[in-house]
Amino acid sequence: MAKMLSLKPLGCVLTVALVTTATIPGDAQSNPSRIACETMAYLGQGGSLTYRLAGSLPEPGANNLPNSTGTALTLTVQWQDRTGRVQTLLNAAALSDYGQLAPDADYAQLPFEDPFRGQPNNADRLYSAPDSVHGLYLSLRPTSGQPQQMQTVHYLAPGEYLRSMAGTCQTANADGDAAIDAQLTLLQERLQAEDWAGADRVTRLLLAPGTASLPPFEPLPSDPVSLRPELINAIDQMWLTASDGRFGLSVQRRLWQEALAEHANNGAAAVNAFRDRVGWKLAAPRPEVDFISSDWLNESEVTYSLQAPAGHLPWAGVSDEVVQAIAVPPPGVHCGICTVDAMQLRNEHFYRYIPQLMERVALYLDPPLSQNVE
């Protein structure tokens, strides 16, 4: 843990190396493309660091443009200890063109793995975090096409670095952005009309499309890395405003922290404690056993009103429609384990999705760890 505390100034220049194979004609050079990448590095004693890159890049084919053209990248670094406690060390810090900061550097000496290593005299798409002290470097490779992978090199102290795994990247197109904007507008309308059930479904479409509707899905985020800070913040603020602070992701985040503090070494127990706090546990046995439901509320049993417990909405489960579609196959289709599949989708989803969502909410809504913490 001592190494972890050495990060308090966050004085690292981070290099992220991104690999791509895609090539697209250069007629889209002027339109930036959103990108989100994520990778991890493991510390001793069970801790880990998560690195998240977000922002915009020129469209593929803009091979001859300098680094500084059409780029607006930020980096977030988050530390999680072995008990699951999460702290944000660097929050959406702007990245700078490393070739401009260190024009005479031998970029090939950066200690990346070979697929991510830079060229001796080529600083294309090399970036650094100016807020860092010891070295935290970022490199996109190759310089054309959309990035598909990411790796970071993070100096914790002079001569002591931590290299991440090869992470993944996703890019968002104009259709995806338009779909998100349309859903956010619809969410605002539903909340203003106090249509809590409708607002809940729209929220789940934005956060996890597969839990709220059947395929084919709209071009909405399908992976946690696609959930941008502005999306999480917009959803949270809309719910907070409409419910006078009773509902929202930040309310749930506070209750999750309380549950996690009580069960720091037992993830399932923490999820159960969170469930009880927000009122998602079944209060009395159902009149009929359906072999799918557990003691978690179904979608139809959620309290869609301001009388619900704090943090009750938005709900984090799977819609009854989706569960039923898996449990009951179409006519003529025989499935011996469909009921089991529906049970697993419905019940196991809570224990995987809630911690992941709360980590993302913590990253985007919690303030960074103070640089003065010892």
Side-chain angles (χ1 to χ4, degrees), residues 34-39 50-55 74-78 86-93 150 170 206-207 221 223-237 249-250 253 257 356-369:
R34 286 188 173 275
I35 184 172
C37 309
E38 181 170 317
T39 187
T50 299
Y51 305 89
R52 296 183 176 98
L53 177 72
T74 63
L75 179 70
T76 297
V77 182
Q78 190 177 42
V86 177
Q87 290 180 312
T88 301
L89 304 179
L90 192 64
N91 191 9
M150 176 175 85
Q170 293 186 357
L206 285 163
L207 297 178
D223 186 278
V225 76
S226 300
L227 299 177
R228 302 196 300 268
E230 56 267 31
L231 176 60
I232 294 291
N233 276 275
I235 291 172
D236 184 52
Q237 287 302 314
L249 297 174
S250 57
R253 169 60 180 165
Q257 287 178 312
Q356 292 175 354
L357 177 62
M358 290 300 102
E359 280 188 23
R360 190 65 48 167
V361 172
L363 172 66
Y364 293 155
L365 300 185
D366 286 1
L369 181 66

Side-chain angles (χ1 to χ4, degrees), residues 167-248:
T168 58
C169 298
Q170 293 186 357
T171 54
N173 55 35
D175 290 341
D177 286 341
I180 290 173
D181 290 343
Q183 290 295 318
L184 285 174
T185 300
L186 182 59
L187 174 60
Q188 185 69 57
E189 293 172 355
R190 293 286 185 267
L191 287 170
Q192 288 177 344
E194 296 189 3
D195 177 6
W196 306 111
D200 177 60
R201 185 177 183 278
V202 173
T203 300
R204 282 184 284 121
L205 277 172
L206 285 163
L207 297 178
T211 68
S213 66
L214 299 172
F217 303 125
E218 297 181 70
L220 293 167
S222 59
D223 186 278
V225 76
S226 300
L227 299 177
R228 302 196 300 268
E230 56 267 31
L231 176 60
I232 294 291
N233 276 275
I235 291 172
D236 184 52
Q237 287 302 314
M238 287 181 189
W239 277 99
L240 287 173
T241 300
S243 66
D244 197 22
R246 190 166 190 79
F247 303 143

Side-chain angles (χ1 to χ4, degrees), residues 27-78:
D27 56 356
Q29 292 183 11
S30 60
N31 298 320
S33 175
R34 286 188 173 275
I35 184 172
C37 309
E38 181 170 317
T39 187
M40 294 182 65
Y42 291 96
L43 299 163
Q45 301 179 353
S48 66
L49 286 170
T50 299
Y51 305 89
R52 296 183 176 98
L53 177 72
S56 60
L57 290 170
E59 285 292 333
N63 297 358
N64 298 322
L65 295 179
N67 277 5
S68 57
T69 302
T71 59
L73 299 175
T74 63
L75 179 70
T76 297
V77 182
Q78 190 177 42

Side-chain angles (χ1 to χ4, degrees), residues 75-372:
L75 179 70
T76 297
V77 182
Q78 190 177 42
W79 165 46
Q80 181 170 334
D81 67 18
R82 60 186 179 85
T83 70
R85 185 168 62 100
V86 177
Q87 290 180 312
T88 301
L89 304 179
L90 192 64
N91 191 9
L95 295 175
S96 298
D97 186 317
Y98 190 63
Q100 295 178 4
L101 294 176
D104 299 325
D106 183 356
Y107 309 112
Q109 296 303 311
L110 293 171
F112 289 108
E113 296 174 332
D114 287 342
F116 300 101
R117 201 177 298 276
Q119 301 300 314
N121 300 310
N122 186 347
D124 286 350
R125 287 190 173 176
L126 275 174
Y127 303 95
S128 65
D131 291 341
S132 58
V133 173
H134 299 297
L136 220 171
Y137 302 97
L138 191 156
S139 168
L140 306 182
R141 288 293 181 269
T143 56
S144 63
Q146 293 295 354
Q148 295 177 346
Q149 291 182 292
M150 176 175 85
Q151 187 177 63
T152 66
V153 172
H154 187 161
Y155 282 87
L156 307 182
E160 178 187 351
Y161 67 85
L162 189 68
R163 185 168 58 202
S164 77
M165 302 179 295
T168 58
C169 298
Q170 293 186 357
T171 54
N173 55 35
D175 290 341
D177 286 341
I180 290 173
D181 290 343
Q183 290 295 318
L184 285 174
T185 300
L186 182 59
L187 174 60
Q188 185 69 57
E189 293 172 355
R190 293 286 185 267
L191 287 170
Q192 288 177 344
E194 296 189 3
D195 177 6
W196 306 111
D200 177 60
R201 185 177 183 278
V202 173
T203 300
R204 282 184 284 121
L205 277 172
L206 285 163
L207 297 178
T211 68
S213 66
L214 299 172
F217 303 125
E218 297 181 70
L220 293 167
S222 59
D223 186 278
V225 76
S226 300
L227 299 177
R228 302 196 300 268
E230 56 267 31
L231 176 60
I232 294 291
N233 276 275
I235 291 172
D236 184 52
Q237 287 302 314
M238 287 181 189
W239 277 99
L240 287 173
T241 300
S243 66
D244 197 22
R246 190 166 190 79
F247 303 143
L249 297 174
S250 57
V251 178
Q252 293 176 346
R253 169 60 180 165
R254 173 177 55 80
L255 297 171
W256 168 251
Q257 287 178 312
E258 294 175 1
L260 196 61
E262 290 181 2
H263 305 279
N265 298 314
N266 190 328
V271 172
N272 286 338
F274 173 75
R275 171 200 62 192
D276 299 346
R277 279 174 164 79
V278 297
W280 292 347
K281 183 178 181 179
L282 190 67
R286 297 180 178 89
E288 296 182 3
V289 179
D290 60 12
F291 300 104
I292 295 175
S293 304
S294 61
D295 57 354
W296 288 78
L297 296 181
N298 291 319
E299 180 183 29
S300 58
E301 298 165 332
V302 173
T303 302
Y304 290 112
S305 78
L306 286 173
Q307 281 64 55
H312 193 72
L313 297 173
W315 185 55
V318 181
S319 289
D320 296 349
E321 172 193 20
V322 176
V323 174
Q324 189 68 14
I326 294 174
V328 181
V333 177
H334 300 283
C335 178
I337 60 170
C338 285
T339 299
V340 175
D341 290 342
M343 292 173 61
Q344 290 181 334
L345 171 68
R346 180 193 178 281
N347 301 325
E348 293 182 7
H349 170 78
F350 291 111
Y351 295 95
R352 290 181 289 103
Y353 177 70
I354 289 174
Q356 292 175 354
L357 177 62
M358 290 300 102
E359 280 188 23
R360 190 65 48 167
V361 172
L363 172 66
Y364 293 155
L365 300 185
D366 286 1
L369 181 66
S370 171
Q371 295 186 356
N372 296 321

